[in-house]
Amino acid sequence: MLAVHLPGLDLKNPVMPASGCFAFGAEYGNLYDLNKLGAIIIKAATLEPRFGNPTPRVAETPCGMLNAIGLQNPGVDKIISNELTRLAGYDVPIIANIAGSEMSDYVETAEKMSLNPVVKALELNISCPNVRHGGITFGTVPEIAAELTERVKAVSKKPVYVKLSPNVTDITAMAQAVEEAGADGLSMINTLLGMRIDIKTQKPILANKTGGLSGPAIKPVAIRMIYEVSQKVRIPIIGMGGIQSADDVIEYFLAGASAVAVGTANFADPFVCPKIIDDLPEKLKAMHVTDINELVGRSWKACAKKNESSLR
Amino acid sequence: MLAVHLPGLDLKNPVMPASGCFAFGAEYGNLYDLNKLGAIIIKAATLEPRFGNPTPRVAETPCGMLNAIGLQNPGVDKIISNELTRLAGYDVPIIANIAGSEMSDYVETAEKMSLNPVVKALELNISCPNVRHGGITFGTVPEIAAELTERVKAVSKKPVYVKLSPNVTDITAMAQAVEEAGADGLSMINTLLGMRIDIKTQKPILANKTGGLSGPAIKPVAIRMIYEVSQKVRIPIIGMGGIQSADDVIEYFLAGASAVAVGTANFADPFVCPKIIDDLPEKLKAMHVTDINELVGRSWKACAKKNESSLR
Amino acid sequence: MIQEDMLITGQRSLADQIFELKLRGKLAANVSEPGQFVHIRVNGQSGSVAPILRRPISICSRDRAKEEITLIFRSGGLGTDLLKEAEPGERLDVLGPLGHGFPVRDIHDMKKAVVIGGGVGVPPLYGLSAELVKKGVSVLSILGFRSAKDVFYKKEFEELGETVIMTEDGTSGIRGRVTDVLDGMDFDVAYACGPLPMLKAVQRKVSDRPLYISMEQRMGCGIGACLACVVHTTDQNDSKGYRRVCSDGPVFRAGEVELC
Amino acid sequence: MIQEDMLITGQRSLADQIFELKLRGKLAANVSEPGQFVHIRVNGQSGSVAPILRRPISICSRDRAKEEITLIFRSGGLGTDLLKEAEPGERLDVLGPLGHGFPVRDIHDMKKAVVIGGGVGVPPLYGLSAELVKKGVSVLSILGFRSAKDVFYKKEFEELGETVIMTEDGTSGIRGRVTDVLDGMDFDVAYACGPLPMLKAVQRKVSDRPLYISMEQRMGCGIGACLACVVHTTDQNDSKGYRRVCSDGPVFRAGEVELC
Ligand SMILES: Cc1cc2nc3c(=O)[nH]c(=O)nc-3n(C[C@H](O)[C@H](O)[C@H](O)COP(=O)(O)OP(=O)(O)OC[C@H]3O[C@@H](n4cnc5c(N)ncnc54)[C@H](O)[C@@H]3O)c2cc1C
Ligand SMILES: Cc1cc2nc3c(=O)[nH]c(=O)nc-3n(C[C@H](O)[C@H](O)[C@H](O)COP(=O)(O)OP(=O)(O)OC[C@H]3O[C@@H](n4cnc5c(N)ncnc54)[C@H](O)[C@@H]3O)c2cc1C
Ligand SMILES: Cc1cc2nc3c(=O)[nH]c(=O)nc-3n(C[C@H](O)[C@H](O)[C@H](O)COP(=O)(O)O)c2cc1C
Ligand SMILES: Cc1cc2nc3c(=O)[nH]c(=O)nc-3n(C[C@H](O)[C@H](O)[C@H](O)COP(=O)(O)O)c2cc1C
Ligand code: FES
Ligand code: FES
């Protein structure tokens, strides 16, 4: 009923923690059995270790939060030797999130990660600023995103999901560009760029000033983008942005997602992923749905049918 | 303490209802004295009457709402003859919001509106799809926005504020383009494009499918954009997006706004504008601020100073 | 129309997910017609976190002496689930009375009225019926529900006049829909409130006598400013071409607006 | 560490905007060290609307027999303003106990301890002091507040040992800052919790004896996964280069992490 099959990923259920909100699973693994999860998207790996941004790194916003962690991670080699070795003990597919500030960083990190048997797919985080191109993020220019995708695909031994940034004028152009460049799937969405100013200190709350907005506040934006993109591409979409409940998961599937990731909600409720997984079967039963895959894109598939028949 | 002077606008205070959330003031005028307001931004006017979109036209989202009213309005001529005549009885500057689907619509509507003595400034709503250019919105391509601004400026007898759409990759490029084209000020932000799907009907809640996301959920995005843009342009910014309280107004000023508009919050609390206006003096006093204009951009002005001195 | 923090004087469960809420305040004195509604801000604790939009709920009845209005609502969504937790002694931010209700001022020549309600469309008809009875009009109430567990206010309506309860599954009253029993009934004027398909069916049946219907639409402001709640007029030549449910309605004379 | 809907058994105001909250549940049994904290989900009514992030609050003390923990918090923000409205009988979603507290297991050779607290940094020191006293250590408490109206738990600390109250404006106790009275004091070990400038000043003063400090950082997960709450190690060659306040701390030995 919940099993989902995507390139490289045979998932017992479509629910996975989102990158950066679950580290490498050790902490949540103390709370529940990670084998319950459909998959785990681990924290962004970069070629070299990164300390990230100064603190404060998070701020609360209405129905959301801002973060500017700054891709803190011990570097791909240590992740492989320490974290993946531990994760090998679980029966849960690992999706490795890859980041960088040069194309070559991405390519090298992706190749290393993709060689590890625990890793079943890569997720390219293209929301990072491209140092070469004067800080323009890879994720905002279709040509650059496509080139990056192509180069990573050329070396990767595993399917590549490209994680799209919502901070663009035309998300479908981005999606189509990376699809043509060979992406096996999409992840959407990453965070919206935001800021909060503390009226006491009169300065931005985050040391980094701007941060990424996540949580329920951004769900309508994510749903709209997935609704648009899923009608324009043939590759599957891992949907995310503000998911808190099984109902939210269903909304994402209806919009056009084929699996989902849960980020911010883990902080409010560390058991949210297993809870959603437990809740889904009953919700589907109430909808007379026997296979969650039936729901993918139903919000527009139904419309498409209607339009067709009204033309006759 | 609260008076603010912007091109064309001598405001007793910087708080005004946002376009589309206050119609032409008649309804709220039954609840309180409109003369309390700094200004009123009236509902979008188009050249011809428009009925707008089918219903449902609104949906609630976490800390926000979606709307797809579709610019319903009786057309510029009726607005001038009916609504502006009534508004002439108040001592409050009127900002006329202008929309269209062709450049020529905008130009003609703007000219007519700007001739009316009640209207003190125009607000160009460039978030509308441009029919000529295959539905691309005026507000997402700097060159088109600049051309539109120039043409409207050429005919307008009143200062022109351009209302920017947040659904773009680079908001500063948009802002700079319209500034160069002669805009006297900016309004930001309009709504973020979003969607909600009803999991019972399995269809988008809005008849129009997508809608504009407003309310506190989008405040961090608006603050970030105003923070960025205010450092790049010399023209003043009317800030909006999720303002609910005097504290929010102060946050907007710190980010770089010189006045603010309140939209969605009017629905939750019809008296929110006068309440904010009443609350501001005490808040400013507590901050030892004697003139609200001192606050404009203070979040980055302070930083700028700091960076300067750390360079020496 | 005023905004008031009304005092909650009572809340009780009437049926499955159906609650009756009593509110006291000055607003009660301003109610001018049955069928008007209030727009409620449902607050979280401390009022600091709340759903963005108010919720429109019809005024079921008004007690002028007690300065009280009674509302009946169905829970099940974010706002109404919070509302059902509200307790006597607490206060609720209410905007109202809003809109135009059922016209009861100039009905001198009417002798027999039928009120037709479905589900949570029933509440405003109670206040209406009471008003009509007070004016000497005899009222027949036809009230439709899904099932026995959903039925409420049967006794209250029966005290006002003949009352027919209908359920879709026949677990209470007559099995069927409200329109099934309309044929051949003797009345001078009809009033209806309920889901759109019911209103349409009623409008088809009652074409020869005056019929007033109360409409629902998703709302923003509730006072006529945002144009969220518009309905088309049936008259293509109407100068505006639309009506706002919140301020021109929610009650319209049948045929004034399109039912869709 | 568990997640539990703990029962609120008491809430009272202690000082200006300062509240004491008592919670009962299994979680209490898991507390292993004074200085640990809990991460609280502050719900709106019905639990349907709530601030997104949990709020970290130190465990002030634990009563093993009553299965109770006591928290003391300052209101003033969105979450804590909601929290102060919570009433006995209601339940609160608590994650904890979290982090590493003050080391009290192996302090056999310590005879005299000084605890130094500022504002809402005072609460965890109360549980610590009680624990130390139980172990036969004599405790001197130096507690700093802004003003007389902010002082709390004076009597409670006095029952455990000598207690010096300091206020910035001199309206209660000695006028000045906690570090003003540290010189020449006789102690074997020091513990501090309070605002960063206070911690820095204390660290400068107490360089010759063991000092443990409890840190604050804005938090996301509270359990070590999101890296929101990191602080740099002072040792540049440390293999990680950082510590997480939530899971490696909040208590660190002075000098382990940078205070900035
Ligand atoms: C004039 C009028 C009078 C009404 N009178 C009553 C009444 O007496 N008793 C009663 O139970 N219900 C009544 N309703 C319907 C009631 O407003 C909705 O059931 C309620 O708003 C749903 O809110 P929620 O928090 O449960 O749902 P949510 O799904 O959380 O609501 C989300 C948003 O959608 C809107 N919405 C959802 N359903 C409806 C609906 N059916 N009609 C209008 N807006 C909706 C809500 O107002 C809110 O803005 C009336 C509606 C209108 C327009
Ligand atoms: C380990 C630890 C123990 C603490 N123990 C106590 C205690 O015993 N008593 C007490 O009164 N306070 C304590 N604090 C501080 C307390 O967490 C904040 O005062 C509280 O989170 C503020 O929430 P709010 O809803 O009032 O403010 P808001 O402004 O609404 O908070 C917004 C966000 O910022 C965070 N935040 C704001 N101020 C702080 C702060 N000073 N430290 C960390 N996060 C902050 C909030 O947690 C929330 O995520 C502790 C903090 C930490 C890290
Ligand atoms: C604290 C935090 C850290 C994140 N780190 C990463 C990251 O390392 N790589 C990445 O691709 N996305 C990262 N994200 C984005 C999330 O994976 C996700 O796309 C986004 O938060 C939206 O989902 P949500 O609303 O469920 O959190 C991070 C988000 C948060 C809140
Ligand atoms: C119901 C509704 C109608 C609106 N109509 C218009 C409009 O006609 N013209 C326009 O420029 N903006 C329109 N807006 C956008 C608002 O003016 C404002 O930019 C936006 O809602 C953000 O502010 P807020 O979060 O305070 O609502 C509308 C917004 C809403 C909610
Ligand atoms: S709800 Fe705003 S006009 Fe009716
Ligand atoms: S709060 Fe998430 S790692 Fe400390």
Side-chain angles (χ1 to χ4, degrees), chain D residues 229-231 233 238 240-245 248 252 256-257:
Chain D
C229 66
V230 297
V231 283
T233 53
D238 182 85
K240 291 205 301 179
Y242 69 91
R243 296 287 181 274
R244 296 162 301 183
V245 168
D248 300 319
F252 298 96
E256 183 176 358
V257 296

Side-chain angles (χ1 to χ4, degrees), chain B residues 27-28 58 267, chain C residues 37 39 217-230 244-247:
Chain B
E27 295 77 15
Y28 288 92
V58 294
F267 307 157
Chain C
F37 69 102
H39 214 26
Q217 274 289 0
R218 293 197 176 228
M219 292 187 174
C221 66
I223 64 170
C226 75
L227 303 186
C229 64
V230 298
R244 296 161 302 183
V245 169
C246 68
S247 46

Side-chain angles (χ1 to χ4, degrees), chain B residues 20 22-23 27-28 31 43 51 55-58 60 63-65 69 72 78 205 216 264 267-271, chain C residues 1 3 41 51-55 78 95 217-221 223-228 230 232 239 241-242 244:
Chain B
F22 208 73
E27 295 77 15
Y28 288 92
L31 293 174
K43 181 147 190 57
F51 181 74
T55 57
R57 291 177 168 189
V58 294
E60 196 176 53
C63 296
M65 68 175 280
I69 306 296
Q72 175 169 357
K78 274 208 186 152
I205 291 184
T264 303
F267 307 157
D269 178 0
F271 295 93
Chain C
M1 175 212 326
Q3 181 189 15
R41 181 130 202 234
I52 281 290
L53 296 176
R54 289 174 179 264
R55 300 297 192 261
L78 174 62
L95 182 67
Q217 274 289 0
R218 293 197 176 228
M219 292 187 174
C221 66
I223 64 170
C226 75
L227 303 186
V230 298
H232 279 279
S239 72
Y242 68 92
R244 296 161 302 183

Side-chain angles (χ1 to χ4, degrees), chain B residues 2 19 42 46-47 66 82 85 96 98 103 120 138-139 151 155 158 203 207 241 256-258 273 275 304 308 310:
Chain B
L2 294 184
S19 180
I42 56 176
T46 52
L47 195 56
L66 293 167
N82 299 343
T85 312
I98 310 284
M103 288 224 189
K120 302 298 182 226
F138 291 95
R151 289 183 54 183
V155 301
K158 303 285 162 62
K203 302 248 170 68
S258 298
C273 289
K275 271 185 200 156
E308 263 173 32
S310 73

Side-chain angles (χ1 to χ4, degrees), chain D residues 5-57:
Chain D
D5 286 331
M6 296 185 81
L7 183 71
I8 300 174
T9 51
Q11 163 123 266
R12 64 181 177 126
S13 159
L14 293 182
D16 186 32
Q17 296 203 70
I18 302 286
F19 296 83
E20 181 195 65
L21 184 66
K22 289 185 184 286
L23 301 171
R24 189 187 303 157
K26 294 202 200 78
L27 192 152
N30 297 346
V31 179
S32 59
E33 280 170 341
Q36 289 183 298
F37 69 101
V38 291
H39 214 25
I40 300 185
R41 181 128 201 235
V42 190
N43 283 326
Q45 281 166 301
S46 282
S48 45
V49 198
I52 281 288
L53 296 175
R54 290 174 177 265
R55 300 297 191 262
I57 304 287

Side-chain angles (χ1 to χ4, degrees), chain D residues 219-229 244 246:
Chain D
M219 292 186 174
C221 66
I223 65 170
C226 75
L227 303 185
C229 66
R244 296 162 301 183
C246 69

Side-chain angles (χ1 to χ4, degrees), chain A residues 8 16 33 35 121 158 175 184 201 204 246 253 263 265:
Chain A
M16 50 192 108
D33 181 1
N35 287 329
K158 303 284 163 59
D184 300 284
T201 65
F253 269 74

